[in-house]
Amino acid sequence: MSGSPTTFAETLRLAIEDRGLGLDRIRDHLEQRGVSVSIATLSYWRSGRSEPGRKTSMAAIPHLEEVLELDPGTLLQTLPLNRDRSRRTAVCGLDELWPESPQTDILGRLDTRWDAELDRVTLHDILRIGADRRQVSLTVRQVMRARSDGPDRRVVLHTQDDTTVELPSLRILRGCKLGRVEGSRPDGVIGAELLFPQPLRRGDTVIVEYEVVAAEPGALESEYLRRLPSPLREYFLEVEFDRAAVPASVVALIEESARRVDLDRTHRGHLVQTDAAPGTTGIRWSWPEDEQRLS
């Protein structure tokens, strides 16, 4: 390997270049060793947008070194100690996550100074679709950990493509109270500050839960996408369809990959990501008449 790489991302990138393997081939080699690492995760490790952190990811590193024909420990020694890893992993700012002008305008009216000082630990979304095929509500439960002393709020942003209906409202369920709320009906964007009971100290965790309640009628959408700004220990998304409005097909989307999702007896489909890398993930559905038009 050429140069003197000092970070995990630099070492990995140069090793991949020297080995001449694509990320799909690296994934295949790992799977042959009984190790599962997605192409998206490998991509984020290579670019430095995230680093291995959980036990399962760390266990994959020796196998990755073998695939790339590196000396044992070459990649592992570039990773920080567990207590420092959260400080080394970059958090994408909200303005980078939402570069579109309507979203940027809303964020500019809210206090986002603490957002990069909150590690996302777990995130659980439950979206409900009514008998009229329109959104009824979205329940969000999130666990966060403070990277430094001081965070006293979390800014959230929700968008809907259907701008023919009113914006939804936000209802707090636990762990915070509602602060400033800003919205743009023409753009289908609503943002809000969730205020914690007290400022957090470094290492403190907080659980917030809130509900996005659709207007009457709700937005008519065909997908729900979540933009993840930083590595996440677990992301869990459920979409619950009314029994009178069961879609013809449902797929889970993780970056550029898609896989079929089967609904259970309660007409729910879900996806679960552990060690989720930053990026876009979600679920898309289509109705019977949509399938007929495409056939």
Side-chain angles (χ1 to χ4, degrees), residues 161-237:
D161 293 332
D162 184 358
T163 58
T164 65
V165 299
E166 295 291 338
L167 290 174
S169 59
L170 273 66
R171 184 168 70 94
I172 301 301
L173 300 179
R174 66 179 290 196
C176 59
K177 65 180 181 179
L178 194 60
R180 184 180 307 171
V181 178
E182 297 286 345
S184 172
R185 158 77 188 277
D187 300 305
V189 182
I190 183 171
E193 298 171 4
L194 306 183
L195 307 180
F196 306 149
Q198 62 274 327
L200 304 178
R201 289 199 224 176
R202 181 179 179 181
D204 284 351
T205 54
V206 63
I207 303 173
V208 300
E209 187 173 0
Y210 64 96
E211 188 174 28
V212 183
V213 182
E216 288 288 346
L220 185 62
E221 311 279 8
S222 59
E223 65 182 13
Y224 176 78
L225 299 178
R226 169 70 76 167
R227 299 184 186 184
L228 304 179
S230 61
L232 194 63
R233 181 171 298 174
E234 179 184 82
Y235 177 57
F236 182 23
L237 168 61

Side-chain angles (χ1 to χ4, degrees), residues 132-169:
D132 59 357
R133 300 182 177 181
R134 294 178 178 271
Q135 290 187 9
V136 176
S137 66
L138 169 69
T139 301
V140 180
R141 181 187 302 114
Q142 186 165 37
V143 180
M144 294 166 284
R145 178 178 290 110
R147 291 185 163 205
S148 63
D149 295 341
D152 64 354
R153 70 196 62 204
R154 161 87 165 96
V155 170
V156 297
L157 193 71
H158 291 274
T159 66
Q160 55 189 35
D161 293 332
D162 184 358
T163 58
T164 65
V165 299
E166 295 291 338
L167 290 174
S169 59

